[in-house]
Amino acid sequence: MAKISDPLVLGRVIGDVVDPFSPSLRISVTYNSNKKVYNGHELFPSSVTIKPKVEVHGGDMRSFFTLVMTDPDVPGPSDPYLREHLHWIVTDIPGTTDVSFGSEIVSYEMPRPNIGIHRFVFLVFKQKGRQTLVSTPPSRDRFNTRKFAEDNDLGLPVAAVFFNAQRETACRKR
């Protein structure tokens, strides 16, 4: 079970987005071939404009996964009344490869935080089989990861990672 020192607990991903879970595999998320995502680290929105390379580590040839990317801090972290905003869904990702071999059912939308520091969360769910998802969200706004997982019989995530981003001002751009 998740420990209090777990970055997903400290970053309130567990709680705000998903219920407590024990990761059974890991994912690596890399933007522009050199910007790796680590829990809680900050990335500039200008460095995450193009969809990242996402790899699932620890799956097998019979496993298929779903990736969800969401922002639970919309419109701002102090009052996220529009929680969550959906940024990306890829399904049928083979357990021994990366997301590019899956089926993109919601295209990647780059992060555009407007107020405060936002968390951008990548969650991986193990599917019961290939092409088993039946429910696609009607909108990116007010997305609910728990409901999406429940509607598609995905259970709890098997891996997650998140980064922080905030609006870039001219002086912050590097």
Side-chain angles (χ1 to χ4, degrees), residues 14-26:
I14 292 177
D16 288 352
V17 182
V18 293
D19 294 327
F21 72 98
S22 296
S24 57
L25 52 87
R26 62 182 191 82

Side-chain angles (χ1 to χ4, degrees), residues 71 73-82 112-120 165-168:
D71 174 359
D73 298 316
V74 178
S78 62
D79 186 18
Y81 64 90
L82 295 175
R112 285 184 288 238
N114 206 14
I115 303 167
I117 300 170
H118 289 236
R119 296 164 292 165
F120 293 90
Q166 60 185 308
R167 185 176 177 195
E168 282 181 81

Side-chain angles (χ1 to χ4, degrees), residues 139-150:
S139 167
R140 290 181 188 263
D141 296 323
R142 297 183 188 262
F143 180 74
N144 185 305
T145 298
R146 286 182 179 96
K147 181 165 178 14
F148 175 79
E150 180 183 316

Side-chain angles (χ1 to χ4, degrees), residues 7 16 35 39 42 57 65 87 95 105 120 125-126 142 159:
D16 288 352
K35 295 255 187 236
N39 283 322
E42 183 175 5
H57 305 281
F65 298 95
H87 283 268
I105 63 168
F120 293 90
F125 296 89
K126 186 171 183 181
R142 297 183 188 262

Side-chain angles (χ1 to χ4, degrees), residues 97-128:
T97 186
D98 64 58
V99 169
S100 64
F101 291 93
S103 300
E104 189 176 65
I105 63 168
V106 176
S107 63
Y108 179 79
E109 179 181 272
M110 67 179 252
R112 285 184 288 238
N114 206 14
I115 303 167
I117 300 170
H118 289 236
R119 296 164 292 165
F120 293 90
V121 183
F122 294 88
L123 298 148
V124 175
F125 296 89
K126 186 171 183 181
Q127 296 174 203
K128 302 267 190 256

